[in-house]
Amino acid sequence: MTGDRDAASGWDPYLPDSPGFDWAAAKRDLSGFDVTAPSMVRVWNFWGRGKDHYPVDQCFGEYVEDLYPRIVDVAYYRIAFRARAVRVMVGECGIGQLLVAGVDLPLRDEVHDIARGVDPLARVAYADSDPVVMAHAKALLDSPWADGCAYVDAGLADPAGLMREAANVLDLAEPVGVLLINSLDGLDDAAAAHAIGVLGGALPHGSCLAICHLTGRTGQGLAALGAVGAGRIPGLPHARTPAGVRALFAGLELVEPGVAPASQWRPEPSPWPSGPVDLWCGVGRVSRPRPERGRR
């Protein structure tokens, strides 16, 4: 198989002589998945310094890193915000069940571990339609509610279907904490607003949505990612402005400190840079008017 080499970078995932790409290793696909082209979920795993990626993912990830070194900071703060949001929803808001809509490959600080560290009875449903993620989830979650976990084979492309499937493992009459950490980046504005509206409309009073999204304050790395990966890599993320991220919380009651860069959202001691990062986030609470009592 051949492909068009990027003249500026020399990077081409389809050519065996591309820098850093081990074609023989890529062909040793023991899982049945296509590993001849990068997968964004695996590339994020590489940026997060995980181990569940292939040479082609590392090749692409290193190319973007060369142009935009802070993508590694972004990957770190995605996971850091996820952990903080879980502690807020379970510990402060008292929510005992979580829905992870869009799942990362196993890395560190997994949602169920953090949630059950706060509340040993907390339950977590992981939802994704990506077969790669599904395979990893099945390997980790080999029985319903093992370690308080379940798996839902559905994604945000069909938010109504996602909530129907979630209702089979979660009690939607009780508050649910939804994590949208990596799943909105690939949706356009209309699709993202629709997905959030469907999820928020199906959740009861007191539920929360945690949203984390790439922003384009510097932009060069995301522009490079799009230019090199367009037409080759499905699910490429795109940036929104900070105002665009705030707009995703329309109709929700923001939890302090509101919408902010992930490095500044309830910061904790960390060896990573504390300045603004191209990743904005927040937690919004579903607040519905309580029905008035009838007159006697």
Side-chain angles (χ1 to χ4, degrees):
M1 180 181 295
T2 60
D4 294 329
R5 181 187 297 273
D6 186 292
S9 68
W11 181 86
D12 190 314
Y14 303 110
L15 293 180
D17 60 344
S18 293
F21 179 55
D22 185 344
W23 185 260
K27 285 187 175 180
R28 290 197 295 270
D29 176 18
L30 304 181
S31 63
F33 300 121
D34 177 14
V35 295
T36 62
S39 159
M40 279 312 304
V41 70
R42 297 194 307 254
V43 173
W44 278 113
N45 184 267
F46 168 73
W47 285 328
R49 299 307 183 243
K51 59 183 179 59
D52 294 301
H53 53 268
Y54 293 97
V56 68
D57 307 303
Q58 179 174 342
C59 181
F60 179 68
E62 288 175 344
Y63 170 70
V64 175
E65 273 188 51
D66 286 343
L67 295 176
Y68 181 44
R70 291 211 71 186
I71 193 67
V72 178
D73 298 339
V74 169
Y76 167 79
Y77 277 113
R78 286 175 68 244
I79 303 303
F81 168 71
R82 184 180 69 179
R84 296 170 191 173
V86 169
R87 289 193 288 269
V88 167
M89 292 191 290
V90 177
E92 294 184 20
C93 301
I95 296 174
Q97 50 183 355
L98 302 177
L99 173 63
V100 184
V103 183
D104 286 300
L105 295 181
L107 193 59
R108 60 181 177 273
D109 296 335
E110 296 304 320
V111 171
H112 61 278
D113 292 329
I114 297 169
R116 289 174 73 83
V118 179
D119 177 3
L121 298 180
R123 300 186 299 170
V124 178
Y126 291 96
D128 207 298
S129 58
D130 188 314
V132 177
V133 175
M134 181 191 299
H136 281 271
K138 286 182 177 179
L140 292 173
L141 313 175
D142 56 3
S143 64
W145 298 119
D147 295 325
C149 301
Y151 189 84
V152 176
D153 181 14
L156 284 184
D158 179 12
L162 169 58
M163 295 311 295
R164 284 195 300 271
E165 293 296 325
N168 293 326
V169 295
L170 299 174
D171 181 1
L172 297 189
E174 296 294 327
V176 177
V178 179
L179 290 115
L180 299 166
I181 303 302
N182 65 347
S183 48
L184 296 176
D185 293 347
L187 301 181
D188 62 27
D189 291 343
H194 174 67
I196 293 172
V198 170
L199 268 60
L203 297 172
H205 179 86
S207 297
C208 288
L209 279 78
I211 297 173
C212 190
H213 203 292
L214 294 165
T215 57
R217 295 178 67 86
T218 60
Q220 71 271 26
L222 296 175
L225 191 157
V228 176
R232 297 178 174 182
I233 306 174
L236 276 175
H238 68 276
R240 287 185 166 86
T241 64
V245 178
R246 291 191 184 95
L248 297 173
F249 290 89
L252 299 172
E253 180 183 295
L254 287 173
V255 173
E256 290 294 332
V259 181
S263 55
Q264 299 173 2
W265 199 92
R266 303 207 180 192
E268 298 172 347
S270 168
W272 291 81
S274 58
V277 65
D278 291 342
L279 187 77
W280 281 50
C281 60
V283 174
R285 185 182 289 112
V286 176
S287 180
R288 305 192 191 287
R290 299 190 180 277
E292 296 183 4
R293 294 182 180 180
R295 295 181 178 179
R296 293 184 179 180

